[in-house]
Amino acid sequence: MSLVATTPATERPAFLGKIGAGHILLAAALIFYPAVANDFFLTQIGGYSLIFGMIGLSLMVLAGYGGMVSLAQITVAGIAGYAVAIFGLNNSGVHGFGWPWWIVAPFAMLLAAIVSALIGWVAVRTEGIYTIMITLAIATAAFYFAQQNYTIFNGFPGFNGLRAPEFWGVNWRDPVPFYYLCLGCAALAYAAVLYCSRSTFGLTLQAIRDNPRRMRAIGYHVTAHKVFAWFLSGLIAGLAGVLLIWFNGRVSPGTINVAAAINVLVIAVIGGLKHPIGPFLGAVVVVLMQTFAIDIVGAERFNTLIGLVFLMIVFVSPDGILGLWERLKPHLAQDSLRPGP
């Protein structure tokens, strides 16, 4: 009887310790965020940051674990957005095949993942700056193709009138439901990346990042592992792309332009590429600046401000905000800085 009584008590602290106090506090803050935020902060700050945090997370999977920096993640997200517009419902009078959301959303994610894998199949044959240039070329080509093609992508106007689904008696584009939808998807993507990083595939991918020649010599298929990482990152970017067009209600070439591609890189680098939480931190910083700082410095000087903040963070901490926190933690843990009894 004593063993039965003490087993749950011993397992619970171990389980909570495995999750981490930081994750518990962060989850509680995010869950109760709608209680203190208005509709504007729920969607324009909270939901938008979570969406772009997921796109940054897809880049973090490639760059942080695989050593492959991509500028095509917003393109992959845009593929999912266009798939929802073309195969779902829209008000543009072009295509709109009327598939239900529970079919078109997974289909869009799968299509985005396949396109991402195809991009990766080309990009993994290069390294370093050449990978960046190839993915930038692909992103630029996709932007101009979508802008000039009216048969499939409806050219410059794109598609509008894209609506978030309504089920269980809830309109999921309303501020509070949409925030929780984004939060749930972001938490699922974050947990999946954490689990993947500790799995056999994740550890193998990180070993390939560190020494691909040795991993190839001991029998691992380096190219296949890298392409599969692109596929997984495409699933995350595709999920974010579906949420993004439900957020905006439209998709156009402006959604996937080169500036948006660079913004994703800025978000990931500012937050940090060594941990999945980094892109979400970077997304919050950039979205707050886009929302408030642009009114202070003006639209013409905003990119200059973003560039200065980016350079400042990179010079101070090459690993972004997370790297800065890792530097401060040892100093905060010193006995002289702790509060007295």
Side-chain angles (χ1 to χ4, degrees):
M1 294 296 293
S2 61
L3 290 176
V4 174
T6 57
T7 300
T10 56
E11 289 181 352
R12 190 175 304 162
F15 174 72
L16 294 177
K18 190 174 182 179
I19 295 177
H23 285 98
I24 296 174
L25 292 175
L26 179 61
L30 292 173
I31 290 173
F32 290 106
Y33 176 66
V36 297
N38 57 26
D39 291 348
F40 174 82
F41 277 89
L42 276 181
T43 55
Q44 298 294 329
I45 305 299
Y48 204 50
S49 297
L50 290 169
I51 291 171
F52 269 91
M54 279 189 281
I55 302 177
L57 179 64
S58 69
L59 174 58
M60 182 268 158
V61 171
L62 295 175
Y65 296 144
M68 302 170 287
V69 179
S70 168
L71 287 178
Q73 297 311 105
I74 193 66
T75 305
V76 175
I79 291 294
Y82 271 107
V84 172
I86 293 171
F87 294 99
L89 295 172
N90 66 75
N91 292 344
S92 300
V94 180
H95 303 306
F97 298 142
W99 291 10
W101 71 268
W102 49 270
I103 293 179
V104 73
F107 173 78
M109 292 174 56
L110 180 61
L111 181 62
I114 293 173
V115 171
S116 178
L118 292 175
I119 295 173
W121 182 72
V122 175
V124 296
R125 303 172 188 278
T126 61
E127 293 181 359
I129 188 64
Y130 300 104
T131 303
I132 298 175
M133 296 307 298
I134 284 179
T135 54
L136 176 60
I138 292 173
T140 305
F143 164 69
Y144 283 110
F145 180 73
Q147 189 177 46
Q148 298 171 7
N149 182 279
Y150 282 81
T151 304
I152 302 175
F153 298 102
N154 199 31
F156 182 79
F159 300 91
N160 54 44
L162 306 176
R163 302 180 185 90
E166 296 184 16
F167 58 95
W168 296 337
V170 177
N171 181 4
W172 290 93
R173 185 54 186 88
D174 289 340
V176 175
F178 185 74
Y179 169 78
Y180 281 120
L181 176 63
C182 293
L183 179 60
C185 292
L188 180 63
Y190 176 78
V193 171
L194 270 184
Y195 175 80
C196 182
S197 68
R198 300 165 184 173
S199 67
T200 303
F201 169 77
L203 296 175
T204 303
L205 183 64
Q206 294 171 65
I208 290 173
R209 173 201 63 195
D210 296 335
N211 199 327
R213 185 175 299 177
R214 177 176 294 179
M215 295 300 290
R216 188 179 289 110
I218 61 179
Y220 284 94
H221 199 306
V222 172
T223 301
H225 278 79
K226 288 185 175 182
V227 171
F228 189 64
W230 280 84
F231 179 85
L232 294 179
S233 73
L235 286 176
I236 299 173
L239 175 59
V242 173
L243 295 174
L244 181 62
I245 64 100
W246 284 346
F247 174 83
N248 291 325
R250 66 187 310 272
V251 60
S252 68
T255 308
I256 58 172
N257 60 21
V258 177
I262 295 175
N263 280 342
V264 173
L265 178 63
V266 170
I267 285 171
V269 173
I270 285 179
L273 288 171
K274 289 190 174 181
H275 193 278
I277 200 65
F280 293 100
L281 295 176
V284 171
V285 172
V286 172
V287 168
L288 285 173
M289 292 180 63
Q290 287 178 338
T291 304
F292 299 107
I294 197 169
D295 295 328
I296 300 174
V297 301
E300 296 179 353
R301 296 184 178 89
F302 177 71
N303 288 330
T304 303
L305 177 63
I306 286 285
L308 290 174
V309 173
F310 177 82
L311 290 175
M312 181 180 65
I313 292 179
V314 170
F315 280 135
V316 174
S317 173
D319 296 330
I321 296 174
L322 281 180
L324 187 62
W325 170 247
E326 291 297 328
R327 288 185 179 185
L328 290 176
K329 275 201 306 186
H331 299 286
L332 296 176
Q334 292 179 2
D335 292 337
S336 59
L337 297 180
R338 292 177 181 172

